[in-house]
Amino acid sequence: MKLLNLLRRNEGIFKSDIEANKKILEDSVSGSNFLVLGGAGSIGQAVTKEIFKRKPKILHVIDISENNLVELVRDLRSSLGYIEGEFKTFCFDIGSKYFIKFIEQQSVNYDYVLNLSALKHVRSEKDPFTLIRMIETNITNTLQTIKCFEKTILKKYFIVSTDKAANPINMMGASKKIMELFLMNKSNKINISTARFANVAFSDGSLLHGLNMRLMKNQAIAAPKDIKRYFISPQESGELCLLSCILGKNREIFFPKPIQDLKPVLFTDIVESFLSEYGYELFHCQSEQEARQRANDLISQKKWPCYFHDSDTTGEKSIEEFYTEDETLNFERFINIGIILNTEGCGNNKKKYFLNEINKIKNKDKWSKREIISLFKEMLPDFNHQEKEKFLDERM
């Protein structure tokens, strides 16, 4: 499948910015040592590939997924081959003691650290146990990794954020917003930049990844009919992260400009285009049950059973946004990238309060989702959490 055709554009949205900054990107990467955290996830692999193709002196990648690391290596070897610099992968959790020991025992002085680790799904807020893990992954582990580099000569610490951090209505977006606030506190000790961006097409667990799985398994497709999302390709996600890491100034947040080639698209339109690329006609079903029951018969006729429903689950925004009205923006420095400037932190006392309260919750005999949400609302007074008592796991 030609992914850009599916996304309804002729070329990558950051192509002009990559070309305009080609030499500085190549010079910066080829002369530097890189550490990529969470580098075997969908975005992590894309970022790692962008670094690898520019031939760094050292490229180390850490991820908790053994299988994804294997695929990362196979993909790089099969597409780009080898580099003269050192390329190594390591399999452990960056929130564990293994990471601290790894940094303590490294003789390498890293120039750039890119953190792509995240719990990214809205569905992760359905219970307090997954919520606590999301807080650890998106917030506390990040702070731990930054602390490891505060006394080193690091050119930049980059970490990925999300468009869901702008006016968040779900806990995932709110966790990334709190992370952004804490990052800005740390920016007086270490140079930090980040990026908010759209849904990455075919990333693990995404809508398009799910469509691929349903096609492979001859299963019916379900999607909300009233939800729009921005979509970017995996390569575009890697390019945006690299541009922010190398060219972003301290405390800056990069995001794709919502321009002509990047418009929000209905899930239903994406599904129809996807099926058309594979030669199938979309067939509307009136229920999940009908879609499941008629799958074999319809697929044999080159029709694909689809059930489109109203969005009724917790945390789903009808349309995403990259920035808020009270944020200071720059649209001039890049062709297709906007920048949020001089982002404010939240104060060390508030950060300490949040971390102490999370530890108190973790030390209790019983964990409460409501208590965690209340703490998030204390941190983010404008957090408009939308609880509908129904979650994506209750949908097909």
Side-chain angles (χ1 to χ4, degrees):
M1 175 187 292
K2 294 181 179 179
L3 180 54
L4 290 182
N5 286 350
L6 182 63
L7 300 181
R8 300 176 183 179
R9 48 182 183 261
N10 297 319
E11 62 182 24
I13 54 176
F14 305 124
K15 182 179 179 181
S16 298
D17 289 304
I18 291 290
E19 286 296 319
N21 296 281
K22 181 178 179 180
K23 189 173 190 317
I24 189 171
L25 289 174
E26 289 181 350
D27 290 348
S28 297
V29 173
S30 64
S32 300
N33 302 330
F34 287 81
L35 176 63
V36 182
L37 313 177
S42 301
I43 302 171
Q45 289 197 37
V47 175
T48 300
K49 203 165 189 176
E50 290 301 313
I51 297 170
F52 188 93
K53 70 171 64 170
R54 292 173 174 86
K55 303 176 182 178
K57 287 167 60 178
I58 290 176
L59 175 54
H60 289 170
V61 181
I62 300 174
D63 199 280
I64 197 171
S65 173
E66 182 182 32
N67 291 337
N68 283 4
L69 281 173
V70 170
E71 176 53 30
L72 170 65
V73 173
R74 287 173 175 163
D75 182 32
L76 291 175
R77 298 303 187 210
S78 300
S79 59
L80 299 173
Y82 298 82
I83 57 174
E84 291 183 4
E86 179 179 286
F87 170 59
K88 290 182 179 179
T89 65
F90 305 87
C91 186
F92 52 81
D93 183 354
I94 65 168
S96 67
K97 62 183 179 182
Y98 306 109
F99 179 77
I100 296 172
K101 289 296 181 184
F102 173 83
I103 298 301
E104 288 176 348
Q105 296 178 31
Q106 282 299 308
S107 59
V108 176
N109 292 315
Y110 294 110
D111 299 297
Y112 297 97
V113 175
L114 296 91
N115 187 348
L116 291 308
S117 63
L119 250 66
K120 64 178 183 178
H121 286 288
V122 172
R123 66 181 70 218
S124 295
E125 68 169 86
K126 61 186 180 293
D127 61 79
F129 318 105
T130 312
L131 258 182
I132 289 293
R133 180 169 176 246
M134 183 173 68
I135 292 165
E136 288 182 343
T137 303
N138 293 355
I139 301 175
T140 56
N141 288 358
T142 298
L143 295 175
Q144 174 179 291
T145 61
I146 291 175
K147 187 175 181 179
C148 289
F149 297 103
E150 284 181 347
K151 295 181 180 180
T152 64
I153 305 173
L154 194 69
K155 291 181 181 178
K156 178 67 69 62
Y157 182 99
F158 168 86
I159 184 166
V160 68
S161 186
T162 173
D163 52 357
K164 294 177 177 63
N167 291 320
I169 68 166
N170 54 60
M171 295 293 281
M172 194 286 273
S175 72
K176 283 292 191 177
K177 179 60 182 177
I178 291 171
M179 178 207 74
E180 287 182 359
L181 293 174
F182 290 178
L183 288 178
M184 300 313 153
N185 284 51
K186 290 287 188 179
S187 65
N188 61 342
K189 294 182 178 181
I190 191 168
N191 287 331
I192 293 174
S193 66
T194 182
R196 295 176 184 170
F197 51 80
N199 287 29
V200 180
F202 294 103
S203 62
D204 289 349
S206 67
L207 171 73
L208 295 186
H209 178 261
L211 297 184
N212 259 344
M213 294 296 101
R214 305 290 73 72
L215 213 70
M216 186 170 66
K217 297 178 181 181
N218 279 1
Q219 294 174 341
I221 290 169
K225 61 186 179 184
D226 52 353
I227 297 291
K228 286 185 176 182
R229 291 289 182 266
Y230 293 98
F231 288 92
I232 61 175
S233 71
Q235 180 175 337
E236 289 166 342
S237 74
E239 290 171 342
L240 183 60
C241 291
L242 184 64
L243 285 163
S244 176
C245 177
I246 302 297
L247 302 178
K249 298 177 183 178
N250 194 27
R251 301 166 65 89
E252 289 187 340
I253 303 174
F254 280 31
F255 61 89
K257 287 183 185 177
I259 53 176
Q260 184 174 356
D261 284 344
L262 183 65
K263 294 180 178 179
V265 183
L266 283 167
F267 276 167
T268 51
D269 290 343
I270 283 282
V271 171
E272 187 169 15
S273 298
F274 175 88
L275 292 174
S276 178
E277 285 284 328
Y278 283 101
Y280 288 98
E281 178 186 347
L282 186 153
F283 186 91
H284 289 273
C285 295
Q286 300 305 309
S287 67
E288 286 188 1
Q289 184 177 8
E290 180 192 356
R292 282 192 296 267
Q293 290 178 345
R294 299 194 62 185
N296 290 336
D297 177 52
L298 288 168
I299 292 169
S300 68
Q301 302 174 49
K302 300 298 288 185
K303 299 177 181 179
W304 208 276
C306 296
Y307 173 57
F308 297 141
H309 53 83
D310 292 327
S311 174
D312 59 355
T313 53
T314 296
E316 286 287 8
K317 259 185 172 179
S318 59
I319 189 169
E320 298 288 11
E321 53 201 325
F322 296 115
Y323 54 87
T324 61
E325 293 181 355
D326 59 348
E327 290 174 319
T328 304
L329 307 176
N330 182 304
F331 285 103
E332 307 303 321
R333 198 189 310 170
F334 294 96
I335 300 166
N336 290 328
I337 296 171
I339 306 171
I340 301 168
L341 303 170
N342 303 317
T343 307
E344 293 297 323
C346 65
N348 282 323
N349 289 338
K350 202 167 186 180
K351 184 185 76 173
K352 288 178 182 178
Y353 171 76
F354 176 84
L355 296 175
N356 285 336
E357 291 301 306
I358 287 296
N359 283 330
K360 286 180 184 178
I361 292 171
K362 288 165 68 175
N363 289 328
K364 289 184 176 181
D365 293 334
K366 188 174 182 179
W367 293 358
S368 164
K369 176 183 170 181
R370 182 173 296 178
E371 193 172 6
I372 300 170
I373 293 174
S374 295
L375 177 59
F376 270 52
K377 287 183 176 179
E378 282 188 69
M379 295 297 296
L380 304 172
D382 296 329
F383 178 31
N384 182 26
H385 182 258
Q386 296 184 6
E387 178 63 68
K388 298 181 181 178
E389 300 296 333
K390 187 173 184 178
F391 301 95
L392 286 169
D393 281 0
E394 297 171 55
R395 280 286 184 190
M396 189 167 73

